Amino acid sequence: MSISSVSSGTSVLDQYQLDSDRFATGGELGKDQFLQLLVAQMNNQDPLSPQENGEFIAQLAQFSTVEGIDNLNGSMESLLSGYQSSQALQASSMVGRTVIVPTDQAVVDTSAGLDGQLALSSSSSNVFVKVYDESGSLVDTVNLGALEAGVHDFTWDGTDGGGNLMPPGVYTFEAMATINGTNTQMATLLPANVDSVSLGAGSGGEMLLNVAGLGSISLSNVYAIQ
């Protein structure tokens, strides 16, 4: 590119953009070339209508802003690449693990039973957990008695009310607490096995855990990892 090719009717920033487009496939027009263009424009300006200092300062400021945005974009792309790599590494370590999630359903190996938790909003004189099979039939009731407010553990041994071992499958757990004379449903936290992991789409996508019996849940909804 010849420096003398800068015309007096073209601003240095416009010429910089034109040359940037021209050299897009052969290299990047850098700061040195820009400054050469600036000097060339000053040397070739119309002496009868010279540009004021303010115009050059504005051009320099605009160039500096554009260059800063380009540098910021590069830094963000590098940061995003590192974040996605970290997500992929984290994802690989989650497969096969057991997570505790806020849900009322769980795939239960009844020969081993199930250990779950319930979140009690206030103290209660009578807390119990009803267990339902896949058809919605009541299988068993786990009585926990009086409890204070907080998170409490409960265990279902995998049998029905008569002590008969139930088949493995998906069961629903309904935690109830008697508060001020009224039975109120409480939230439950149950275990689930992570079958696979999906990385969220887009730059802000969150990692999704594909868990047995529940489908996909976001990593932010996981209460604990066992």
Side-chain angles (χ1 to χ4, degrees):
M1 178 189 66
S2 172
I3 295 177
S4 61
S5 64
V6 180
S7 66
S8 59
T10 303
S11 74
V12 66
L13 190 63
D14 291 338
Q15 187 66 40
Y16 174 78
Q17 183 61 53
L18 290 173
D19 288 327
S20 293
D21 296 339
R22 187 183 308 163
F23 284 93
T25 58
E28 182 180 359
L29 189 65
K31 290 181 289 186
D32 292 340
Q33 289 84 351
F34 172 80
L35 292 176
Q36 290 176 351
L37 285 171
L38 177 61
V39 172
Q41 182 182 358
M42 295 176 66
N43 290 333
N44 289 276
Q45 64 181 323
D46 185 355
L48 299 179
S49 180
Q51 287 185 301
E52 298 181 359
N53 291 337
E55 290 186 62
F56 289 113
I57 293 174
Q59 290 173 5
L60 286 171
Q62 189 174 359
F63 172 78
S64 178
T65 300
V66 172
E67 185 185 34
I69 293 175
D70 288 341
N71 292 339
L72 179 60
N73 288 339
S75 297
M76 290 301 295
E77 288 177 0
S78 176
L79 181 62
L80 176 60
S81 177
Y83 173 70
Q84 290 175 334
S85 298
S86 176
Q87 269 200 326
L89 181 61
Q90 188 178 15
S92 64
S93 66
M94 292 290 292
V95 177
R97 301 286 295 274
T98 298
V99 294
I100 305 300
V101 294
T103 181
D104 62 353
Q105 290 188 328
V107 177
V108 183
D109 176 4
T110 50
S111 63
L114 176 135
D115 293 323
Q117 295 177 311
L118 61 88
L120 194 58
S121 58
S122 61
S123 59
S124 171
S125 59
N126 183 32
V127 180
F128 53 97
V129 179
K130 292 183 176 181
V131 184
Y132 299 89
D133 62 16
E134 292 186 62
S135 66
S137 300
L138 180 63
V139 172
D140 195 13
T141 300
V142 180
N143 293 301
L144 301 175
L147 293 174
E148 297 295 325
V151 177
H152 300 276
D153 298 329
F154 71 87
T155 298
W156 178 49
D157 62 6
T159 65
D160 62 14
N164 302 304
L165 183 65
M166 297 296 297
V170 178
Y171 288 85
T172 300
F173 297 83
E174 183 183 49
M176 305 294 292
T178 303
I179 300 175
N180 297 326
T182 303
N183 287 338
T184 305
Q185 186 171 356
M186 300 288 111
T188 51
L189 301 168
L190 304 178
N193 293 325
V194 180
D195 292 334
S196 62
V197 178
S198 302
L199 297 181
S203 59
E206 186 176 9
M207 187 165 68
L208 298 177
L209 307 181
N210 303 310
V211 298
L214 297 179
S216 298
I217 61 171
S218 62
L219 181 61
S220 61
N221 287 332
V222 173
Y223 183 78
I225 301 174
Q226 295 182 335

